[in-house]
Amino acid sequence: MIEIRDLAKSYGALKAVDGVSFDVRRGETFGLLGPNGAGKTTTLHLLVGVLPADRGTIRIDGQGDPTRPETRRHLGLAPQQPSLYPDLTGEENLSFFGRMSGLAGKKLAERVAWALDLAGLADRRKDRVRAYSGGMQRRLSLACALVHDPPVILLDEPTAGVDPQSRNHLFESIEALKRAGRTILYTTHYMEEAQRLCDRVAIMDHGKILALDTVPALLERHGGRSLIEAELEPAPADPSSLPGTWDGRTLRVPAERPLEEVARLAASGVRFSTLHVKRPDLETVFLELTGRTLRD
Amino acid sequence: MHRVWTLAMKDLKLLVRDRAALFWVFVWPLIFGIFFGTLMGGSGERTSHGLVVAVIDEDRTPESKEFVAALRKSDALAVRDTLTLERARDRVRRGVLAAYVRILPGFAKASGFRPVEGTAIELGIDPARKAERGMLEGLVTQASFTGIQKMFTEPDRMRASLRESRAAVDSSGMQPKDRRNIENFLGSLEVYLKNVDSSGTGGGSGPPKLSGPKVATVAVTPDLRQPRSAFEISFPSAILWALLGCTMGFAQSLVSERTMGTYGRLRSTPLTRAEFLLGKGLASYLTGFTVILALLAIGRGLLGVRLENPVALVAALFTIPLCFTGLMLLFANLGKSERAVSGAGWAVMLVFSMLGGGMIPLIAMPPWMQTASGVSPVKWGIVALEGSVWRGYSPAEMALPCAILASVGLVGFSIGWVLSKRLES
């Protein structure tokens, strides 16, 4: 559905996007995960043709270059900022962006009504966006990206700065879109979101893609072993007889199969007062790949 | 084109909902026009004391002075200090004065009881102003008879006048029948005078309707190529201020589209960069067009600003907004933030306005400054408006300002186009 090959964009000496290549399959939710400044948003802007690429090729839905207006008809972008007109109502914003994407008449009215329902704003449709909460504006922003029913949806950090209630609403909307078979490209620096929503994830840093695969495959390849953390009661008389490290209070044991290791320890007479198994996640993967955390 | 129109309508809707913007675009220029127009003398020809007239006393006799004093006493007139005839005519032509009253040599003689040849009073007024003309003629005639009325209270003066009148009748070539009638009338007056004691008591009957100074009205065709009121100068300037506000308002709204992210969202739709700039330009153009029409309509309806040349007005209406729309697109692409664009835009616009007659009227500028003002599109905007309001420009005369305005607009659009491409990349 989306083919990107050797995409590059520089601002002076800064290489914002540096030879990025990936494919997004039809019906797939594809995540671009990376810290702020990794090049995710620039990649999206290149993808919608707002920015011209220094080099590389982009093909969307078999249409080719997104600098062609016809190609962009297949795209729906929800930018990082809500990017709405505060002095228009929610309904007017939807109607305006719908018209810009070629909708008119009855079809436009139907799609606007659908989008208002999706955003949960049908009862606030006549209110100016200025009066909406941040979460409501985010939901409306997503609705504006979807109002013309595009096959390819580009979501740029859609939950940044959103309250938990609106975040859940957004997740539910995105999951509904996944079920409806939409192709979604989702950028985020929240690894939990990528793990929850994305079929495949590309980990990006300094304009390059460091790793790309399904979440389990990334965890397996770059996540390392799980970590068992336990407090023991009573404290061991000879900590050197135990696997892992003992700091006088907590025992830490890395393990490929943590449950089997816990069973083995219990069988050897170790008594746990607390037990916590920390499985590897995308944060661990990013740390492994870059030596930094996602929030650094 | 559908997308261009939709974008322009969205911007106009946002403008209408922004009360502060509406104030600066429509109300403030109106206040500017009225305030400075009033400060510069308003409509000039009418005051709270009545019609403004100038008196030119070429007779310079006690009778003529009494006549001027009688005019000054009238509540319906505001008599200005005596001017030369040439200046008085010029002021009537320009509408600064409603009329002039010229007291010709021989007025005093024409005030007695004698046959009169020729005109004693000349009244200069625009023939189109029929109501004022009738009123003025009545007031002048009334004032001229105050001299005759006075004779009836001053017998010595009347006796002298009767002597002069008899001599004039004797030396005239009147028909015998007319001569007899006048001699009978003069004889009756002499009998009347004999019955009046020398102190003058006993006089006071109504003045005889024999003579009096003849009043002639002279047509003074108003010069359309001169402003007839200060509002005809202040309103074009006010309109240009409105357009400056419009230009900078839309330039800032275009930058806001970039900083708010709506431009990025719009560019992810099939909207092209050219359509975006055209849509913004169309909104700015339509606003400028409406501002000019609205302010001129108010000026005409309430303050008597003329719209003498419809062809010139149409040309001005199309080219002035075009010029400022081009400048708007140029300024909007000079920077990446509202602050940068506003700073750069107003810095240039204020210089344009100062040079171009936005602050000091063009006609009040010294010649060198009028020449220097040619670099400012504000000047050409004002000239084009004045060409349709009071300068009475022919199509050929309108061609220069309109061509300059259109060229500035197109150059502004072209540079804006190039700069926007650079900003986008």
Side-chain angles (χ1 to χ4, degrees):
Chain A
M1 195 69 165
I2 301 173
E3 291 173 28
I4 291 180
R5 295 287 175 271
D6 194 26
L7 199 62
K9 177 73 185 175
S10 296
Y11 297 105
L14 176 71
K15 289 180 176 176
V17 176
D18 187 9
V20 165
S21 298
F22 62 86
D23 293 333
V24 181
R25 298 164 196 149
R26 191 176 296 276
E28 180 180 40
T29 299
F30 185 94
L32 272 180
L33 178 68
N36 291 328
K40 307 183 299 288
T41 299
T42 305
T43 303
L44 278 196
H45 284 173
L46 293 168
L47 205 55
V48 295
V50 173
L51 284 175
D54 295 341
R55 67 163 200 270
T57 58
I58 300 167
R59 286 178 64 79
I60 294 167
D61 203 11
Q63 296 287 321
D65 191 347
T67 54
R68 291 177 60 236
E70 265 316 300
T71 305
R72 295 201 296 273
R73 203 179 289 279
H74 298 253
L75 299 175
L77 170 70
Q80 199 166 343
Q81 293 171 273
S83 306
L84 302 162
Y85 295 103
D87 286 317
L88 295 183
T89 65
E91 189 173 41
E92 286 169 340
N93 268 283
L94 284 165
S95 179
F96 172 71
F97 286 112
R99 283 177 205 277
M100 283 295 156
S101 297
L103 296 180
K106 195 178 166 196
K107 176 80 176 166
L108 175 67
E110 284 171 3
R111 289 300 301 172
V112 167
W114 174 85
L116 282 166
D117 276 342
L118 176 90
L121 293 170
D123 56 337
R124 299 287 304 271
R125 67 184 190 281
K126 296 289 182 194
D127 290 352
R128 289 193 193 179
V129 168
R130 189 177 291 287
Y132 287 7
S133 69
M136 290 161 81
Q137 291 188 15
R138 285 281 179 182
R139 277 144 52 195
L140 181 64
S141 175
L142 176 64
C144 285
L146 302 174
V147 69
H148 59 295
D149 199 14
V152 179
I153 300 159
L154 310 172
L155 306 178
D156 191 6
E157 309 240 11
T159 60
V162 168
D163 61 274
Q165 189 188 350
S166 289
R167 181 179 293 216
N168 279 337
H169 192 284
L170 283 167
F171 284 162
E172 285 165 15
S173 301
I174 293 164
E175 281 165 344
L177 291 168
K178 275 185 76 168
R179 286 194 296 276
R182 294 287 184 276
T183 304
I184 301 170
L185 179 57
Y186 189 102
T187 78
T188 183
H189 61 268
Y190 296 122
M191 59 100 188
E192 304 88 347
E193 291 179 13
Q195 274 183 271
R196 173 175 172 175
L197 296 170
C198 298
D199 300 315
R200 289 193 303 148
V201 173
I203 294 177
M204 208 171 172
D205 195 30
H206 296 309
K208 288 178 186 288
I209 288 183
L210 306 178
L212 189 166
D213 215 325
T214 60
V215 173
L218 283 171
L219 294 176
E220 191 174 326
R221 201 181 316 148
H222 302 287
R225 291 178 290 177
S226 298
L227 183 68
I228 301 164
E229 290 182 336
E231 289 176 3
L232 308 182
E233 185 62 44
D238 180 14
S240 63
S241 64
L242 296 172
T245 58
W246 169 255
D247 63 4
R249 188 163 175 239
T250 307
L251 177 70
R252 290 188 178 81
V253 182
E256 292 289 344
R257 292 183 173 78
L259 293 181
E260 287 174 20
E261 186 63 35
V262 167
R264 200 163 35 245
L265 285 167
S268 68
V270 171
R271 295 287 175 265
F272 302 103
S273 63
T274 65
L275 179 66
H276 178 67
V277 177
K278 197 173 169 187
R279 300 185 66 86
D281 55 22
L282 289 174
E283 182 77 48
T284 326
V285 172
F286 189 80
L287 186 67
E288 167 73 16
L289 289 169
T290 66
R292 296 183 290 119
T293 66
L294 275 166
R295 285 162 186 80
D296 279 348
Chain B
M1 198 58 206
H2 165 74
R3 279 189 287 268
V4 171
W5 182 253
T6 303
L7 191 65
M9 290 304 108
K10 180 269 295 175
D11 273 345
L12 293 179
K13 189 180 274 185
L14 289 176
L15 175 69
V16 168
R17 287 182 182 178
D18 186 345
R19 286 183 188 171
L22 273 185
F23 174 83
W24 291 111
V25 169
F26 284 98
V27 182
W28 177 249
L30 185 61
I31 293 169
F32 176 98
I34 293 172
F35 177 75
F36 283 100
T38 308
L39 213 64
M40 288 189 288
S43 55
E45 60 189 21
R46 193 180 288 273
T47 70
S48 57
H49 303 296
L51 285 179
V52 184
V53 297
V55 176
I56 307 106
D57 184 0
E58 295 176 358
D59 193 43
R60 294 180 186 281
T61 56
E63 287 82 357
S64 69
K65 283 175 186 161
E66 276 169 13
F67 171 67
V68 174
L71 284 179
R72 284 188 195 281
K73 276 184 192 163
S74 169
D75 290 337
L77 295 176
V79 178
R80 289 284 174 258
D81 289 337
T82 307
L83 301 161
T84 64
L85 178 63
E86 206 47 49
R87 282 188 68 191
R89 272 199 185 126
D90 178 59
R91 288 188 168 201
V92 174
R93 210 173 278 132
R94 289 191 287 120
V96 180
L97 294 170
Y100 70 80
V101 180
R102 180 186 178 195
I103 306 166
L104 294 160
F107 169 84
K109 288 179 185 168
S111 301
F113 303 103
R114 73 200 81 172
V116 178
E117 286 177 10
T119 304
I121 299 170
E122 179 182 299
L123 187 62
I125 190 167
D126 174 3
R129 308 176 66 155
K130 289 176 183 157
E132 283 103 329
R133 178 183 161 180
M135 187 174 110
L136 266 176
E137 282 175 349
L139 289 167
V140 166
T141 306
Q142 185 188 20
S144 66
F145 273 98
T146 53
I148 295 171
Q149 273 180 314
K150 215 164 181 184
M151 283 185 203
F152 283 89
T153 59
E154 294 175 16
D156 293 339
R157 186 172 163 182
M158 189 183 254
R159 276 188 202 100
S161 181
L162 281 174
R163 274 196 301 275
E164 285 172 18
S165 299
R166 275 199 181 280
V169 169
D170 291 344
S171 60
S172 71
M174 269 185 183
Q175 293 294 322
K177 191 178 173 188
D178 292 339
R179 179 183 292 215
R180 243 191 334 273
N181 286 339
I182 290 176
E183 282 174 347
N184 287 342
F185 172 68
L186 294 176
S188 303
L189 281 175
E190 279 167 352
V191 172
Y192 163 79
L193 278 176
K194 278 176 193 167
N195 295 332
V196 174
D197 61 39
S198 60
S199 66
T201 55
S205 59
K209 303 261 189 289
L210 176 69
S211 181
K214 255 189 194 169
V215 178
T217 303
V218 175
V220 181
T221 308
D223 186 353
L224 295 178
R225 298 172 77 100
Q226 293 289 338
R228 288 179 64 181
S229 78
F231 295 118
E232 293 186 348
I233 298 168
S234 68
F235 260 67
S237 298
I239 287 170
L240 265 293
W241 276 107
L243 290 172
L244 297 189
C246 237
T247 300
M248 291 316 302
F250 276 100
Q252 282 175 267
S253 92
L254 197 150
V255 186
S256 296
E257 297 262 16
R258 288 201 203 103
T259 55
M260 287 195 316
T262 44
Y263 178 67
R265 188 193 279 279
L266 283 170
R267 291 287 280 116
S268 72
T269 71
L271 183 80
T272 64
R273 188 161 53 89
E275 287 174 326
F276 176 75
L277 292 179
L278 281 173
K280 285 282 174 187
L282 180 62
S284 169
Y285 185 92
L286 291 175
T287 307
F289 192 93
T290 310
V291 162
I292 298 175
L293 265 186
L295 289 179
L296 281 179
I298 292 169
R300 181 172 175 75
L302 298 181
L303 303 162
V305 172
R306 289 169 294 163
L307 300 176
E308 294 293 343
N309 191 338
V311 177
L313 181 63
V314 169
L317 266 174
F318 279 96
T319 52
I320 295 172
L322 179 67
C323 170
F324 285 90
T325 296
L327 289 176
M328 181 278 286
L329 290 170
L330 167 61
F331 292 135
N333 290 293
L334 281 180
K336 289 180 180 172
S337 68
E338 286 97 332
R339 199 176 295 173
V341 165
S342 173
W346 276 116
V348 176
M349 286 298 206
L350 285 176
V351 174
F352 278 168
S353 182
M354 276 193 287
L355 273 179
M359 293 178 181
I360 306 166
L362 285 171
I363 59 169
M365 284 182 179
W368 69 268
M369 205 169 164
Q370 288 193 14
T371 308
S373 67
V375 299
S376 167
V378 171
K379 177 222 175 117
W380 297 108
I382 289 177
V383 167
L385 280 174
E386 289 181 347
S388 54
V389 172
W390 58 264
R391 286 183 189 268
Y393 273 3
S394 65
E397 286 172 309
M398 279 300 282
L400 178 66
C402 289
I404 289 172
L405 288 166
S407 304
V408 170
L410 293 175
V411 169
F413 189 90
S414 306
I415 299 174
W417 167 261
V418 172
L419 291 177
S420 75
K421 194 172 181 180
R422 222 173 65 177
L423 271 179
E424 197 169 281
S425 60

